[in-house]
Amino acid sequence: MKNIDYKFEYLTEKAKTILNVKKGYRDDTLFPEISTLNTDKHNPIDVVTTEIMYCGKYEVCDFLINHYSDFLSISDYRLLTNLVYEIKTTGFPIIDHLKSEQLRRVVNKLTIDCNYCLWLCATPDDIYYHYVKEYIPKADKIQPGYADSCPDFKVKASLSLDKYKNRYVEEIDIPEKNVLLCDMGIEGVLIAFNR
């Protein structure tokens, strides 16, 4: 498996920490499962396509454009920039089978030797303070009932940091060969590798 180089100097400190120590952290039960999707939640192609087309994470497109421009054809670049524009102007989900297939081809090109993909945070504290204490409560104010749809959220919110870490947070070892697909700082990185 060949490592595809990204522009390390432009990464956030959180992403650099994850890559340097070769470890990341996640709470696999943080968000509600999307029952309408029939994709593999760890397959890199499915994960990236879902994040962009269904969840509207244009930041993934931006990252791919900025960090992997040497690997992208003109049509790949055009597709990614069009998806960013479409998400920002018309919203999501994007129901376009052709764009979905094109995106799958782009992701496959970048993650050819990877069979596993997930979002990881640099520390368990980041998950606890950013998501449990801040993000999910804010989302619940905008969309009442959202917190209740997140598994065990009331329990998690009532736990101390140490109890939360011991009960819900998993440490993931990252192999030397990996492909970074998005860097959102404290919110985590999307990374693919072979497992």
Side-chain angles (χ1 to χ4, degrees), residues 5-110:
D5 293 327
Y6 32 79
K7 296 165 184 160
F8 187 82
E9 66 272 22
Y10 297 112
L11 298 178
T12 64
E13 288 307 311
K14 296 290 185 183
K16 288 177 183 177
T17 298
I18 291 169
L19 294 170
N20 285 332
V21 299
K22 298 284 184 276
K23 285 185 189 312
Y25 299 88
R26 71 179 278 111
D27 172 351
D28 208 29
T29 64
L30 197 57
F31 297 111
E33 215 166 286
I34 305 168
S35 58
T36 56
L37 295 176
N38 59 358
T39 55
D40 180 340
K41 71 177 193 172
H42 293 300
N43 175 290
I45 296 168
D46 286 344
V47 171
V48 173
T49 305
T50 300
E51 290 289 352
I52 295 168
M53 303 294 280
Y54 187 86
C55 302
K57 278 228 187 292
Y58 65 85
E59 297 91 346
V60 178
C61 293
D62 280 342
F63 187 87
L64 298 179
I65 291 166
N66 293 324
H67 287 261
Y68 299 114
S69 53
D70 294 348
F71 295 91
L72 301 174
S73 68
I74 292 169
S75 62
D76 296 342
Y77 180 85
R78 193 175 300 126
L79 168 71
L80 293 170
T81 54
N82 285 339
L83 286 171
V84 171
Y85 177 77
E86 192 170 340
I87 291 166
K88 287 183 173 182
T89 57
T90 61
F92 55 90
I94 299 171
I95 311 299
D96 186 321
H97 183 68
L98 181 60
K99 282 182 182 168
S100 182
E101 285 305 310
Q102 289 172 321
L103 180 59
R104 293 176 76 78
R105 184 182 47 75
V106 172
V107 177
N108 184 54
K109 185 192 309 187
L110 294 173

